[in-house]
Amino acid sequence: MAQITLIEAVTQALAYEMRNDESVVVLGEDVGVNGGVFRATQGLQEQFGEERVIDTPLDEGTIAGLTVGLAVQGMKPVAEAQFEGFIYPMMEHIACHAARMRNRTRGRMTVPAVWRAPWGGGIRAPEHHSEANEHLFTNIPGLRVVMPSSPARAYGLLLAAIRDPDPVIFFEPKRIYRQYKEEVPDDGEALPLDVCFVLRDGTDVTLVTWGAQVKECLEAADELAEKGISAEVIDVATLTPLDFDTIAESVTKTGRCVIVHEAPKTAGFGAEIAARLSEECLYSLLAPVERVTGFDTHIPLFRLEMKYLPSVERIVEAAERTLAAS
């Protein structure tokens, strides 16, 4: 079995679902002839034709509105926002229509649509091309927010997102699009949504993260192990609805938690997890919950970009603080 990258896993999942479900269509800027800015849809228009892989005008609002319209009429559209910073014009349709349709119609209509967006920093991109804005969508009822962290999880979670009867925001951490490969069978097996994945067992501290930062947390766990500290690593994967039970079970076991995310610290999604831990797991905590995040500023241009992103060193230091506090 060939090994593939995360971006290739996205392409593989799209192709599988389009072969097996004629209601699946792909649309967005340059997704057809050019195969997308990151080549996530490369070759799909040749396989499935222009009516199912649609090059749209450079108008995110139109893309989002068309996606909602297709979905309520029985299609399963997968729309691409070229970068997460371009998704803001889509929010009116996503928040006011897609996410509310089931409630508005009392279940008579749903919006089985996926909005894919290359997410996060770390590729030396210009302004509006390196944003971590997942927290803006986690506060919208009726909307799933999903973020894979590996080729296998990208394949399985994207299949699940396309098959979901309700709208899904699918953030793809572009820093790890081609960073490493793994074997991903093209068997159509979806992974469960709304579930955290425990990637490494541990007993001393829980590292909670999602997206590209999973890599740094696993590396931090290796460094902590060399110091005799056993770290459990949890990939949240589906931010909303959040599988808090898995996080709570781990923190109850370890007594300590470090939450890592790329978004700014203030009102980042890590704050929600920390608040719930204080509400529901206070008596299990042996130390205050630590957060290792981006800073309360825009992701800087490439000279300072990597200093903004949470590093292995910062994660290790935060974990050691939780041990020292208890």
Side-chain angles (χ1 to χ4, degrees), residues 121 242 299:
L242 175 65
I299 295 181

Side-chain angles (χ1 to χ4, degrees), residues 78-109:
V78 182
E80 179 182 291
Q82 281 194 333
F83 291 86
E84 72 284 14
F86 298 171
I87 205 169
Y88 301 120
M90 297 179 166
M91 289 187 72
E92 193 271 336
H93 289 286
I94 294 171
C96 296
H97 302 294
R100 295 172 184 262
M101 192 64 69
R102 179 184 287 275
N103 183 66
R104 177 181 292 153
T105 64
R106 298 301 183 260
R108 289 185 296 107
M109 300 176 72

Side-chain angles (χ1 to χ4, degrees), residues 14 22 24 36 48 57 72 76 89 104 107 129-130 134 136 140-141 145 155 161 201 214 249 255-256 279 281 288:
L14 290 170
E22 291 186 356
V24 178
F48 302 104
V72 298
K76 295 179 182 177
R104 177 181 292 153
H129 296 68
S130 298
E134 68 274 15
L136 300 180
I140 300 175
V145 180
Y155 178 81
D201 291 327
V214 166
E249 181 179 355
R256 305 169 188 87
E279 292 170 350
C281 303

Side-chain angles (χ1 to χ4, degrees), residues 259-270:
I259 303 166
V260 182
H261 63 70
E262 198 166 307
K265 185 174 187 177
T266 299
F269 191 66

Side-chain angles (χ1 to χ4, degrees), residues 3-313:
Q3 293 192 332
I4 61 174
T5 62
L6 194 152
I7 193 70
E8 290 171 328
V10 169
T11 311
Q12 184 169 285
L14 290 170
Y16 182 93
E17 209 63 3
M18 294 184 78
R19 284 194 305 271
N20 290 278
D21 187 344
E22 291 186 356
S23 66
V24 178
V25 296
V26 171
L27 65 153
E29 300 165 1
D30 298 323
V31 299
V33 175
N34 289 337
V37 67
F38 291 100
R39 304 299 183 260
T41 53
Q42 191 167 33
L44 295 183
Q45 193 174 77
E46 289 85 347
Q47 292 183 61
F48 302 104
E50 295 181 2
E51 292 187 355
R52 295 187 64 197
V53 183
I54 305 163
D55 279 319
T56 66
L58 304 181
D59 183 348
E60 284 78 16
T62 294
I63 295 169
L66 178 59
T67 301
V68 175
L70 286 167
V72 298
Q73 293 301 315
M75 304 299 287
K76 295 179 182 177
V78 182
E80 179 182 291
Q82 281 194 333
F83 291 86
E84 72 284 14
F86 298 171
I87 205 169
Y88 301 120
M90 297 179 166
M91 289 187 72
E92 193 271 336
H93 289 286
I94 294 171
C96 296
H97 302 294
R100 295 172 184 262
M101 192 64 69
R102 179 184 287 275
N103 183 66
R104 177 181 292 153
T105 64
R106 298 301 183 260
R108 289 185 296 107
M109 300 176 72
T110 62
V111 180
V114 178
W115 282 269
R116 295 179 41 252
W119 169 97
I123 66 164
R124 298 191 167 194
E127 187 182 12
H128 301 306
H129 296 68
S130 298
E131 301 189 27
N133 50 23
E134 68 274 15
H135 53 293
L136 300 180
F137 295 88
T138 59
N139 193 239
I140 300 175
L143 188 65
R144 274 188 170 80
V145 180
V146 179
M147 191 181 304
S149 62
S150 74
R153 285 187 286 283
Y155 178 81
L157 291 172
L158 183 53
L159 289 176
I162 296 171
R163 296 168 187 174
D164 193 279
D166 292 299
V168 178
I169 302 294
F170 196 82
F171 284 118
E172 299 165 7
K174 56 186 179 287
R175 178 161 61 92
I176 59 173
Y177 261 160
R178 295 176 171 86
Q179 196 171 68
Y180 63 95
K181 297 181 177 183
E182 62 184 14
E183 292 185 354
V184 182
D186 191 12
D187 55 8
E189 289 294 322
L191 288 173
L193 299 173
D194 313 343
V195 170
C196 292
F197 298 96
V198 180
L199 303 183
R200 178 175 178 142
D201 291 327
T203 56
D204 296 326
V205 61
T206 300
L207 307 181
V208 178
T209 191
W210 49 91
Q213 295 300 143
V214 166
K215 179 178 181 292
E216 278 74 23
C217 283
L218 289 170
E219 292 176 1
D222 288 337
E223 287 199 16
L224 289 166
E226 294 176 0
K227 301 181 179 187
I229 300 170
S230 175
E232 187 147 298
V233 179
I234 294 178
D235 176 9
V236 173
T238 301
L239 280 72
T240 51
L242 175 65
D243 173 19
F244 183 73
D245 289 346
T246 295
I247 298 172
E249 181 179 355
S250 176
V251 174
T252 298
K253 176 177 64 175
T254 66
R256 305 169 188 87
C257 185
V258 177
I259 303 166
V260 182
H261 63 70
E262 198 166 307
K265 185 174 187 177
T266 299
F269 191 66
E272 170 64 21
I273 297 174
R276 290 193 63 180
L277 286 171
S278 70
E279 292 170 350
E280 302 180 36
C281 303
L282 180 62
Y283 295 111
S284 298
L285 288 170
L286 301 174
V289 174
E290 289 270 351
R291 285 182 288 162
V292 180
T293 71
F295 300 101
D296 288 341
T297 183
H298 305 291
I299 295 181
L301 297 179
F302 66 86
R303 183 175 295 180
L304 297 174
E305 186 176 21
M306 299 311 294
K307 293 186 181 296
Y308 172 94
L309 301 177
S311 64
V312 173
E313 180 182 10

